[in-house]
C-alpha cells in the first residue's frame, strides 16, 4: 500500500507553490481529538460482541453505546455525529443482537445509494454471524436472488426506491418478513431532503402501516451527518418521536482545511469589454489531483456532476502521462451509472492502493468505508455544510492527519464562502428541509398507499391528519380513489406511477439519429432549456446538436458535431400570487411567504462563440408554456424608498434583477438546496403587488420547503447576499456576484451598485420590523 511522503501541511505548501500569487484564501487547522469508550451494554449478544472484538473493536465509543441502548430499549433514535465516527456500530449492535437472540426476527436497512448498501453488506458479512443471512435487494438483484431473499434473508439491505417500487406493492409476499420486523435502519438520513425527502417520508409511513397490518412494530434507528436539528428532521421523516444522540466521542486526527480560489484568467484580447473570468474549478482540481498523485498522496476529488468527474479524471490522467508515462493509470473516475462490477472493481483498487486517486461524484460521499485516504479535493461547494463535512471526512487514515481543500467555482456562493470562512467553520450545519404536507407529494403517495391496502380513516392521521383528509377528498372527487364502507380504494388496474426523485413526467431520452443509440436522459423540466431544436448538448465531453425535440414521445434526436459555438436558451417567466401565508410589514418594505403560479416559456436561444462569448445570433423557438404551482418568498419596496436611496428609475429593473440572482445564489447557505432547485423573478412593478418586487420560488410542484427556510432566515440570507455583491472586486457584475448561469434573459439588465442599494433598503427596514404576522391572501386583480 502506497503511503504519503508528505504531511498535509507539506502537501498544501507544494500545491500553493504552483502559482506565484497564492490562491489560498484561508487555512483552518482542526485539532485532533481523543476518544471516549464505554463498556459493552449488558443486553448485547455475546456472539456479536465476540465477532466485533475479532475485528479489532474492543469497546464501543460512548455515543455508540448510548444510541444502541436507546434503540435496544425500543426508543426511535437518530445518531448525528461526524464522518468516520462509527455510526454503523450504533445500529449494528442492537440489530445484530436482536437477530442473534431471536431467530425469527428480521430487520430492514435503507440507504440512498447502492454503493453504501453494498459496503454495509460487506461489513456485516465479514462478522461471520451466519444466522443473520444479510442480502442486498436492489435493481442489480436477479429474480432468483430476490426469491431467496424474500424467503430466507433476515437482514435486507435496500433503498427507498426499491422499497417503494418493489417491496411495498408486493407486501403480501413479504408478510412474514414484515410481521417479524424488529428494526428499520435509515442510513445517511440527511440525504432525504426537498421533494425526494418528502416522498421518502411517506414511503416510510406506508412501511409502518403495512408492518402494523401484519402485526409488526419496528424501532427506527437513523444515522445522519451532523445537522441543525436532527431530532426534528428525523421525526418529520418517519412521523415518529425521535431522540437525537449528537455528542461525538470518537477520536479524530488533525485536519488541515484550505479554501482555494482559482486565479483570474487574462482578459480576452478579442473582447476586452467582457468581464474577466476565473480559471475553471475543474481545471484547477485536475491540476491539484495530478500534483497529489506525483507526491504519492492517496486522494479523492469530489466533483458535482457526472460529466465533471469524467473530465477531471481525463485531464489528470493526461497530465500525469505526459510527465511519467503510465502514471495516469493510477487515476480513475467513479460515478453513478457505472455497472455494478465496475464500481466494485474501482472500490477494491482504491482500497488496495492500486489506484492513487479518484475523481468521484457524491456517490462516494455517503458512508462508503474508504480507508487509507490522505487528502480530499472538493471541486465546488457541494451545496450544504453537511455534505462539505461528509466529503472532507473521507480523508484521514486510522486517525492520522488529513488535508481537505475546497476549490471555489466562479459562483456567488463559492466566492462568498472562500472569503468568509466563518460561514463554514465553527457554525452548525443546516437543518434538513422537507415538507410531507406538499400536496403534489401527498396525493400521489396516498394513491400508492390505497393501491397497497384500502385507506381507512385512522390511516389518515399517519399521513398528516387534516392535510391527508383534504387530499383524500380531492382524490375521491377526481375519481382516483373510491370510498366504500371499508375505506378508500385505488380505482385503476395498475399501480400509481410515482417517481420519488423527480416530478414533471417521464425523462426525455437523448437518441443519436444515425445509430439509434441512447446517449442519456434529461428530466422534463430541463428538456426545454437543454434539448430544444438547435441546442448544443454535451455528453461525456462530446458535443451533439439537437435535430428535433418530440415532447409527446419524450425523445430528442441528435447528431454529432463540434461547432465553435454554444447555445443558451432564453425564456419569459411570469409569477402570479395565489395566496399569502405570512407577511412582515416593514414600512416601505414587505416580506411575504405564500403560494404562487409560475408560467414560463422558452422563446428563443442565442448562439455564442466559444472562448469570447460573442453572440452570433438569436433564433426563435416555439415551445409550449409550462406552469408550476409552488411556494415563494418575495419582498416588495416602495418606489419612493428606491428614489430616496438614489436608485434612478432606469436602473431599478437591473438593480432588482442583480439582487434576485445573488439571492438565489446565496440561499443554499441557509437551506439544504442547490441554486438549480430554485427560481426567481424580479420586476419594477408587479401586477399583484403593485410595487417593485423580487420573487424566489421553489422549482418543484407544491414547494420543497426552501422558500419557507428563506422567509425564516431572511435577514441573515439577504445580509450575506448584500455582502457577497459589495465585496466582489468587479465593476459591473460577474459570475462571482450577480451573473447567473441559468438566467433566461442573458443576464440583462443587471445593475450591481443598485442591487446593494436595494438590499440596504430591505435590511434596514427588516431590522426595525415587527414579528411576522399571518395575513389573508391578496385580492386578485380583475380582468
Amino acid at each position: 500500500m502506497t503511503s504519503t511522503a508528505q504531511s498535509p501541511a507539506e502537501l498544501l505548501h507544494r500545491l500553493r507553490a504552483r502559482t506565484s500569487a497564492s490562491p489560498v484564501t484561508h487555512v483552518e487547522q482542526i485539532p485532533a481529538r481523543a476518544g471516549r469508550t464505554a463498556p459493552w451494554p449488558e443486553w448485547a449478544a455475546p456472539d456479536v460482541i465476540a465477532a466485533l472484538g475479532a475485528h479489532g473493536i474492543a469497546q464501543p465509543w460512548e455515543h455508540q453505546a448510548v444510541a444502541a441502548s436507546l434503540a435496544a430499549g425500543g426508543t426511535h433514535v437518530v445518531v448525528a455525529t461526524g464522518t468516520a465516527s462509527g455510526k454503523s456500530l450504533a445500529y449494528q449492535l442492537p440489530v445484530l443482537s436482536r437477530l442473534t437472540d431471536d431467530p425469527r426476527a428480521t430487520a430492514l436497512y435503507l440507504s440512498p445509494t447502492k454503493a453504501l448498501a453494498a459496503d454495509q453488506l460487506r461489513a456485516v458479512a465479514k462478522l461471520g454471524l451466519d444466522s443473520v443471512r444479510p442480502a442486498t435487494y436492489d435493481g442489480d438483484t436477479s429474480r432468483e436472488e430476490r426469491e431467496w431473499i424474500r424467503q430466507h434473508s433476515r437482514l435486507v439491505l435496500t433503498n427507498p426506491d426499491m422499497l417503494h417500487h418493489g417491496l411495498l406493492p408486493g407486501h403480501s409476499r413479504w408478510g412474514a418478513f414484515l410481521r417479524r420486523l424488529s428494526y428499520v435502519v435509515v442510513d445517511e438520513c440527511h440525504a432525504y431532503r426537498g421533494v425526494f425527502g418528502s416522498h421518502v417520508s411517506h414511503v416510510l409511513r406506508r412501511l409502518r402501516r403495512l408492518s402494523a397490518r401484519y402485526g409488526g412494530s419496528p424501532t427506527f434507528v437513523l444515522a445522519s451527518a451532523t445537522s441543525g436539528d436532527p431530532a426534528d428532521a428525523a421525526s418529520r421523516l418517519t412521523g415518529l418521536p425521535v431522540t437525537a444522540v449528537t455528542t461525538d466521542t470518537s477520536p479524530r486526527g488533525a485536519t488541515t482545511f484550505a479554501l482555494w480560489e482559482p486565479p483570474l484568467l487574462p482578459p480576452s484580447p478579442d473582447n476586452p469589454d467582457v468581464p474577466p473570468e476565473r480559471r475553471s474549478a475543474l481545471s484547477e482540481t485536475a491540476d491539484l489531483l495530478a500534483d497529489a498523485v506525483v507526491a504519492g498522496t492517496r486522494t479523492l476529488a469530489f466533483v458535482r456532476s457526472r460529466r465533471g468527474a469524467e473530465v477531471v479524471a481525463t485531464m489528470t490522467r493526461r497530465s500525469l502521462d505526459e510527465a511519467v508515462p503510465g502514471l495516469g493509470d493510477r487515476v480513475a473516475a467513479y460515478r453513478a451509472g457505472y455497472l455494478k462490477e465496475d464500481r466494485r472493481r474501482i472500490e477494491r483498487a482504491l482500497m488496495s492502493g492500486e489506484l492513487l486517486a479518484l475523481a468521484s461524484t457524491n456517490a462516494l460521499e455517503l458512508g462508503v468505508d474508504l480507508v487509507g485516504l490522505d487528502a480530499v479535493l472538493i471541486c465546488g461547494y457541494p451545496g450544504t455544510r453537511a455534505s462539505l463535512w461528509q466529503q472532507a471526512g473521507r480523508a484521514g487514515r486510522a486517525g492520522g492527519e488529513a488535508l481537505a481543500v475546497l476549490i471555489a467555482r466562479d459562483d456567488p456562493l463559492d466566492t462568498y464562502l472562500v472569503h468568509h470562512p466563518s460561514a463554514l467553520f465553527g457554525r452548525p450545519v443546516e437543518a434538513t428541509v422537507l415538507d410531507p404536507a406538499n400536496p403534489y407529494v401527498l396525493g400521489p403517495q396516498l394513491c400508492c398507499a390505497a393501491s397497497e391496502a384500502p385507506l381507512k380513516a385512522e390511516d389518515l392521521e399517519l399521513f398528516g391528519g387534516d392535510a391527508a383528509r383534504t387530499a383524500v377528498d380531492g382524490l375521491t372527487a377526481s375519481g382516483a380513489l373510491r370510498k366504500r364502507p371499508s375505506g378508500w380504494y385505488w380505482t385503476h388496474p395498475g399501480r400509481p406511477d410515482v417517481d420519488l426523485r423527480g416530478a414533471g413526467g417521464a425523462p426525455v431520452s437523448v437518441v443519436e439519429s444515425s445509430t439509434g443509440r441512447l446517449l442519456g436522459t434529461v428530466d422534463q423540466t430541463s428538456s426545454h432549456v437543454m434539448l430544444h431544436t438547435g441546442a448544443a448538448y454535451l455528453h461525456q465531453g462530446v458535443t451533439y446538436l439537437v435535430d428535433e425535440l418530440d415532447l409527446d414521445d419524450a425523445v430528442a434526436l441528435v447528431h454529432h458535431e463540434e461547432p465553435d459555438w454554444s447555445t443558451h436558451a432564453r425564456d419569459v417567466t411570469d409569477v402570479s400570487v395565489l395566496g399569502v401565508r405570512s407577511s412582515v410589514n416593514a414600512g416601505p418594505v414587505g416580506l411575504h411567504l405564500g403560494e404562487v403560479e409560475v408560467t414560463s416559456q422558452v422563446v428563443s436561444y442565442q448562439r455564442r462563440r466559444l472562448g469570447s462569448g460573442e453572440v452570433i445570433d438569436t433564433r426563435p423557438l416555439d415551445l409550449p408554456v409550462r406552469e408550476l404551482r409552488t411556494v415563494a418568498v418575495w419582498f416588495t419596496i416602495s418606489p419612493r424608498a428606491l428614489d430616496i436611496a438614489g436608485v434612478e428609475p432606469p436602473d431599478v429593473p437591473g438593480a432588482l434583477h442583480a439582487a434576485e440572482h445573488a439571492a438565489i445564489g446565496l440561499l443554499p447557505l441557509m437551506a439544504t438546496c442547490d441554486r438549480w432547485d430554485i427560481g426567481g423573478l424580479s420586476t419594477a412593478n408587479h401586477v399583484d403587488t403593485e410595487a417593485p418586487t423580487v420573487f424566489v420560488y421553489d422549482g418543484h410542484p407544491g414547494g420543497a420547503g426552501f422558500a419557507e427556510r428563506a422567509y425564516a432566515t431572511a435577514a441573515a440570507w439577504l445580509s450575506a447576499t448584500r455582502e457577497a455583491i459589495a465585496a466582489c472586486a468587479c465593476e459591473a457584475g460577474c459570475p462571482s456576484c450577480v451573473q447567473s448561469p441559468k438566467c433566461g434573459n442573458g443576464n440583462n439588465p443587471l445593475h450591481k451598485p443598485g442591487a446593494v442599494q436595494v438590499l440596504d433598503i430591505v435590511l434596514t427596514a427588516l431590522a426595525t420590523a415587527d414579528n411576522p404576522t399571518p395575513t389573508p391572501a391578496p385580492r386578485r386583480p380583475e380582468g
Side-chain angles (χ1 to χ4, degrees):
M1 185 178 289
T2 305
S3 63
T4 182
Q6 296 179 325
S7 70
E10 291 170 334
L11 176 60
L12 181 60
H13 178 75
R14 176 191 178 102
L15 298 179
R16 295 173 83 161
R18 294 174 55 253
T19 57
S20 54
S22 175
V24 175
T25 60
H26 178 78
V27 177
E28 187 81 6
Q29 298 293 345
I30 301 169
R33 177 186 64 212
R36 297 199 310 270
T37 60
W40 290 109
E42 293 183 0
W43 52 261
D47 288 351
V48 176
I49 294 175
L52 293 168
H55 286 82
I57 303 175
Q59 284 186 307
W61 303 118
E62 196 175 277
H63 69 274
Q64 294 172 326
V66 170
S69 293
L70 286 168
T75 298
H76 307 293
V77 62
V78 56
V79 53
T81 52
T83 308
S85 61
K87 290 188 284 287
S88 296
L89 184 65
Y91 54 75
Q92 287 174 355
L93 188 58
V95 170
L96 296 178
S97 291
R98 175 68 62 83
L99 298 183
T100 301
D101 291 339
D102 179 356
R104 297 173 61 81
T106 61
L108 186 67
Y109 168 94
L110 299 172
S111 71
T113 67
K114 293 178 182 179
L116 182 51
D119 190 66
Q120 283 296 312
L121 177 64
R122 284 193 295 268
V124 173
K126 74 179 183 181
L127 294 177
L129 300 168
D130 296 336
S131 65
V132 172
R133 300 192 293 274
T136 54
Y137 186 81
D138 57 30
D140 293 334
T141 308
S142 68
R143 185 177 298 275
E144 295 76 14
E145 288 177 298
R146 293 183 186 190
E147 187 61 35
W148 183 92
I149 291 168
R150 272 197 299 269
Q151 294 182 9
H152 302 290
S153 177
R154 300 176 58 223
L155 174 57
V156 174
L157 302 101
T158 186
N159 52 62
D161 308 83
M162 199 66 180
L163 182 62
H164 164 64
H165 288 293
L167 196 153
L168 296 181
H171 61 86
S172 60
R173 291 172 291 172
W174 289 86
F177 183 90
L178 292 171
R179 182 169 58 254
R180 302 164 184 167
L181 188 60
S182 301
Y183 286 101
V184 176
V185 175
V186 185
D187 206 356
E188 305 292 355
C189 66
H190 61 279
Y192 303 121
R193 61 180 180 83
V195 170
F196 177 44
S198 302
H199 273 297
V200 172
S201 73
H202 288 293
V203 172
L204 295 180
R205 285 160 174 77
R206 287 160 50 201
L207 171 64
R208 289 174 52 207
R209 183 175 81 113
L210 291 175
S211 180
R213 179 184 174 93
Y214 288 97
S217 180
T219 298
F220 279 73
V221 188
L222 302 96
S224 171
T226 52
S227 68
D229 191 345
D232 178 68
S235 293
R236 278 184 287 120
L237 188 63
T238 60
L240 294 162
V242 180
T243 299
V245 175
T246 58
T247 301
D248 191 341
T249 58
S250 64
R252 182 182 66 190
T255 299
T256 300
F257 204 133
L259 305 182
W260 187 290
E261 185 174 43
L264 286 169
L265 295 171
S268 168
D270 299 329
N271 200 343
D273 295 330
V274 174
E277 294 185 1
R278 294 197 177 275
R279 189 167 189 257
S280 84
L282 291 176
S283 299
E284 199 80 350
T285 301
D287 283 356
L288 296 177
L289 191 59
D291 284 352
V293 171
V294 170
T297 303
R298 298 184 62 189
T299 306
L300 181 59
F302 282 107
V303 188
R304 296 195 59 171
S305 69
R306 296 181 182 187
R307 174 181 172 269
E310 297 280 5
V311 168
V312 167
T314 299
M315 294 171 68
T316 304
R317 284 194 294 261
R318 184 183 302 130
S319 175
L320 290 170
D321 283 336
E322 287 175 357
V324 181
L327 189 56
D329 294 339
R330 303 197 70 183
V331 178
Y334 183 104
R335 60 172 177 81
Y338 283 176
L339 296 176
K340 174 183 176 181
E341 295 76 15
D342 291 336
R343 294 196 304 267
R344 303 295 175 264
R345 176 179 53 78
I346 293 170
E347 291 164 18
R348 287 194 300 271
L350 184 65
M351 292 177 188
S352 70
E354 178 186 342
L355 285 174
L356 265 179
L358 278 187
S360 171
T361 59
N362 65 356
L364 282 181
E365 172 188 325
L366 299 175
V368 177
D369 186 16
L370 295 176
V371 296
L373 294 176
D374 301 299
V376 165
L377 306 176
I378 302 169
C379 180
Y381 182 61
T384 65
R385 288 186 292 276
S387 286
L388 181 77
W389 289 110
Q390 281 286 101
Q391 294 181 1
R394 293 291 95 201
R397 59 172 80 186
E401 292 185 42
L403 173 67
V405 182
L406 171 63
I407 301 108
R409 294 169 302 154
D410 205 1
D411 170 273
L413 181 55
D414 285 35
T415 302
Y416 177 86
L417 290 173
V418 295
H419 291 285
H420 296 81
S422 61
L424 291 176
F425 303 109
R427 287 190 61 181
V429 298
E430 308 85 352
T432 303
V433 175
L434 61 112
D435 180 15
N438 179 339
Y440 291 85
V441 172
L442 179 56
Q445 286 292 335
L446 287 169
C447 290
C448 290
S451 74
E452 291 156 2
L455 276 171
K456 300 183 182 302
E458 56 267 29
D459 292 333
L460 301 185
E461 288 301 324
L462 175 66
F463 291 100
D466 290 342
R469 282 184 280 273
T470 300
V472 164
D473 289 345
L475 293 167
T476 305
S478 70
L481 298 181
R482 181 178 294 119
K483 188 174 184 182
R484 291 287 182 261
S486 55
W488 287 270
Y489 287 74
W490 172 242
T491 60
H492 301 286
R495 293 201 300 266
D497 183 16
V498 178
D499 178 10
L500 301 188
R501 297 177 186 259
V508 176
S509 300
V510 184
V511 176
E512 189 172 29
S513 304
S514 59
T515 64
R517 181 167 63 106
L518 177 65
L519 298 177
T521 59
V522 172
D523 64 89
Q524 281 272 352
T525 306
S526 304
S527 63
H528 289 211
V529 172
M530 296 178 62
L531 296 176
H532 59 76
T533 301
Y537 172 75
L538 197 61
H539 177 73
Q540 294 186 353
V542 178
T543 301
Y544 296 84
L545 295 187
V546 178
D547 300 314
E548 179 186 358
L549 172 60
D550 187 333
L551 291 170
D552 292 332
D553 292 334
V555 63
L557 299 177
V558 304
H559 71 273
H560 171 53
E561 191 172 323
E562 295 290 343
D564 62 351
W565 41 263
S566 59
T567 55
H568 301 263
R570 297 171 68 88
D571 64 12
V572 175
T573 299
D574 191 22
V575 175
S576 298
V577 177
L578 303 178
V580 178
R581 295 183 186 176
S582 185
S583 289
V584 178
N585 183 354
V589 170
L591 177 70
H592 310 276
L593 174 72
E595 288 75 27
V596 298
E597 182 173 75
V598 181
T599 57
S600 61
Q601 183 180 24
V602 175
V603 294
S604 63
Y605 69 98
Q606 288 182 339
R607 296 192 304 162
R608 299 181 193 170
R609 193 80 63 192
L610 293 175
S612 68
E614 173 194 356
V615 176
I616 300 171
D617 58 18
T618 300
R619 300 188 173 191
L621 290 169
D622 182 20
L623 286 165
V625 174
R626 302 185 69 94
E627 296 181 349
L628 171 71
R629 289 199 173 202
T630 186
V631 179
V633 59
W634 65 95
F635 62 79
T636 59
I637 309 177
S638 73
R640 176 166 171 73
L642 290 169
D643 187 51
I644 292 172
V647 184
E648 299 292 334
D651 296 332
V652 169
L656 296 172
H657 194 198
E660 171 217 327
H661 279 185
I664 289 172
L666 269 293
L667 182 53
L669 192 65
M670 306 297 162
T672 49
C673 67
D674 185 276
R675 72 182 300 159
W676 299 95
D677 290 325
I678 46 185
L681 176 77
S682 56
T683 174
N685 185 22
H686 191 267
V687 65
D688 289 348
T689 66
E690 299 180 350
T693 308
V694 171
F695 291 91
V696 175
Y697 57 83
D698 290 357
H700 300 276
F706 307 136
E708 286 96 329
R709 184 67 180 162
Y711 180 78
T713 61
W717 165 43
L718 296 176
S719 292
T721 302
R722 188 256 182 222
E723 192 169 350
I725 301 172
C728 188
C730 73
E731 291 184 11
C734 70
S736 292
C737 58
V738 299
Q739 288 186 0
S740 169
K742 54 182 285 194
C743 180
N745 295 310
N747 285 298
N748 184 49
L750 292 175
H751 193 271
K752 178 184 173 182
V756 175
Q757 292 170 299
V758 162
L759 291 166
D760 281 339
I761 297 168
V762 174
L763 291 167
T764 300
L766 290 179
T768 59
D770 296 331
N771 290 330
T773 55
T775 64
R779 184 170 176 267
R780 295 299 310 278
E782 298 178 3

